[in-house]
């Protein structure tokens, strides 16, 4: 039987379909549940929201978002490289189109889909997080503050995550200067709660995105020290159907040779591994850690695009 061959065309097609799906989820979450309540979130979507409300709805969010993306990509071309720019242009274009379409639909409604702002913002942020996470899993990027963070990381020691948090929080806080009919005190009282909602939504989006990415790749790694290592290894092979690697070690205090078992398994299989070990040797010394990104037979396939 001939070995299974990799079809890069099908892989790329699937990736692009899932990127479009993820971006559509993001657009629905933002336009359907967050924008109608006048909440500004982080990223260039937030910048577009600021311009939208500052212009009285004359300039759509999608127009400002896409223009800023192209401007930043032009500035970042020499810093982050051609591959990053080309990959981001696709995501930014689809994102602008999706937000433009759903914005025209949801903002024409007489009232928001969910009247309660708290529930609406939380639900919208969850949608956005799932959308961004889906796009990232399939090698997609929607641009935005990712571009700024990528540029900063190239020229300084500031981490990408820290840069994105700072920029996003500043974008949300800027909504306090949006036009408002009333005194300065009334402006503060009206805008501060909305800013807090924006910060909450931004952190929920980030959290859900990270959870989706990490859950998709999460596995467990066991390191086991036991006198009954042979029986444990055999039972893990037979009952958990997982491979076991046996390493030679030496206890520095006792100067005795020991056998060390290393096992990788899915998260849901970790309980089975623990039960096997406990049934054989309750005194076994075990470490269990998360392993994000275990690739190969029995686990995930690396989703990276090979250079031609």
């Amino acid at each position: 039987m001939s070995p299974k061959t990799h079809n890069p065309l099908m892989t790329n097609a699937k990736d692009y379909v899932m990127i479009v799906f993820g971006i559509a989820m993001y657009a629905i979450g933002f336009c359907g549940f967050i924008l109608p309540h006048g909440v500004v979130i982080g990223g260039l979507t937030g910048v577009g929201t600021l311009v939208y409300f500052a212009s009285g709805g004359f300039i759509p969010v999608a127009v400002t978002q896409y223009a800023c993306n192209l401007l930043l990509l032009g500035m970042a071309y020499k810093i982050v490289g051609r591959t990053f720019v080309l990959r981001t242009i696709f995501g930014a274009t689809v994102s602008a189109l999706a937000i433009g379409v759903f914005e025209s639909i949801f903002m024409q409604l007489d009232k928001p889909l969910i009247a309660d702002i708290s529930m609406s913002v939380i639900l919208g942020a969850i949608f956005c997080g799932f959308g961004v996470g889906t796009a990232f899993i399939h090698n997609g990027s929607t641009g935005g503050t990712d571009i700024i963070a990528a540029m900063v990381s190239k020229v300084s020691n500031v981490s990408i995550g820290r840069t994105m948090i700072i920029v996003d929080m500043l974008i949300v806080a800027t909504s306090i200067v949006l036009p408002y009919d009333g005194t300065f005190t009334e402006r503060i009282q009206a805008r501060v709660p909305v800013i807090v909602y924006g910060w909450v939504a931004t952190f929920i989006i980030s959290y859900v995105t990270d959870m989706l990415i990490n859950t998709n790749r999460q596995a467990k790694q066991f390191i086991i020290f036991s006198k009954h290592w042979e029986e444990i290894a055999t039972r893990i092979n037979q009952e958990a159907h997982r491979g076991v690697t046996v390493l030679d070690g030496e206890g520095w205090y006792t100067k005795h040779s020991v056998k060390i078992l290393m096992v990788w398994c899915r998260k849901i299989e970790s309980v089975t591994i623990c039960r096997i070990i406990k049934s054989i040797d309750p005194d076994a010394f075990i470490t269990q850690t998360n392993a994000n990104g275990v690739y190969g037979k029995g686990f995930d396939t690396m989703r990276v695009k090979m250079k031609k």
Side-chain angles (χ1 to χ4, degrees), residues 172-192:
V172 176
T174 305
S175 64
I176 200 168
V177 302
L178 289 174
Y180 183 81
D181 295 329
T183 64
F184 179 76
T185 302
E186 290 173 338
R187 174 195 291 268
I188 297 296
Q189 292 174 343
R191 294 306 308 173
V192 167

Side-chain angles (χ1 to χ4, degrees), residues 4 7 36 65 70-71 92 99 102 104 109 118 120 130 132 143 158 218 220 257 271 281 299:
K4 184 179 180 180
N7 189 337
Q65 179 195 27
L70 293 181
L71 178 62
I99 289 177
F102 288 112
S104 63
L109 301 178
S118 300
S120 186
F130 268 102
V132 174
V158 181
Q218 196 171 73
K220 295 289 184 179
S257 298
V271 175
D281 184 4
F299 289 94

Side-chain angles (χ1 to χ4, degrees), residues 1 12 40 57 93 124 127 135 139 154-155 158 165 190 192 199 208 219 223 235 237 254 259 294 296 305 307:
M1 185 173 64
N12 288 342
V40 178
T93 302
F127 264 80
N139 304 303
K154 291 285 186 178
V155 298
V158 181
I165 289 174
V192 167
W199 283 338
V208 173
I223 298 179
R235 289 272 300 276
N237 281 161
T254 62
K259 294 292 186 181
V294 179
K305 296 179 181 178
K307 292 183 179 180

Side-chain angles (χ1 to χ4, degrees), residues 214-233:
N214 292 331
T215 302
N216 180 68
R217 302 181 304 179
Q218 196 171 73
K220 295 289 184 179
Q221 175 182 284
F222 285 89
I223 298 179
I224 308 162
F225 296 81
S226 173
K227 295 179 181 179
H228 306 281
W229 61 272
E230 290 181 278
E231 187 178 354
I232 292 173

Side-chain angles (χ1 to χ4, degrees), residues 82-96:
R82 178 173 176 270
T83 302
F84 178 88
V85 170
L86 293 178
R87 185 188 65 182
T88 305
I89 285 178
F90 173 78
T93 302
V94 175
S95 179

Side-chain angles (χ1 to χ4, degrees), residues 79-264:
I79 300 176
V80 299
R82 178 173 176 270
T83 302
F84 178 88
V85 170
L86 293 178
R87 185 188 65 182
T88 305
I89 285 178
F90 173 78
T93 302
V94 175
S95 179
L97 290 173
I99 289 177
V101 170
F102 288 112
E103 178 187 335
S104 63
I105 295 173
F106 289 111
M107 294 306 287
Q108 299 301 319
L109 301 178
D110 295 333
K111 57 183 180 179
L113 295 176
I114 300 178
D116 182 69
I117 185 173
S118 300
M119 293 303 300
S120 186
V121 168
I122 291 173
L123 182 59
I126 292 173
F127 264 80
C128 290
F130 268 102
V132 174
T134 301
F136 280 2
I137 289 172
H138 294 274
N139 304 303
S141 173
T142 56
T145 49
D146 294 357
I147 305 171
I148 299 174
M151 287 193 294
V152 171
S153 67
K154 291 285 186 178
V155 298
S156 73
N157 294 325
V158 181
S159 68
I160 290 178
R162 183 181 300 177
T163 302
M164 292 179 68
I165 289 174
I166 293 172
V167 173
D168 287 343
M169 291 188 70
L170 288 175
I171 291 172
V172 176
T174 305
S175 64
I176 200 168
V177 302
L178 289 174
Y180 183 81
D181 295 329
T183 64
F184 179 76
T185 302
E186 290 173 338
R187 174 195 291 268
I188 297 296
Q189 292 174 343
R191 294 306 308 173
V192 167
V194 179
I195 290 174
V196 173
Y197 281 121
W199 283 338
V200 170
T202 301
F203 278 105
I204 291 176
I205 293 170
S206 177
Y207 178 77
V208 173
T209 299
D210 289 341
M211 285 293 293
L212 187 63
I213 293 173
N214 292 331
T215 302
N216 180 68
R217 302 181 304 179
Q218 196 171 73
K220 295 289 184 179
Q221 175 182 284
F222 285 89
I223 298 179
I224 308 162
F225 296 81
S226 173
K227 295 179 181 179
H228 306 281
W229 61 272
E230 290 181 278
E231 187 178 354
I232 292 173
T234 301
R235 289 272 300 276
I236 290 175
N237 281 161
Q238 294 176 347
E239 297 178 22
H241 305 291
R242 284 296 175 189
V244 181
T245 301
V246 182
L247 305 176
D248 290 317
E250 181 180 350
W252 193 246
Y253 179 76
T254 62
K255 299 299 189 292
H256 291 164
S257 298
V258 294
K259 294 292 186 181
I260 306 168
L261 305 182
M262 293 187 67
V263 182
W264 290 271

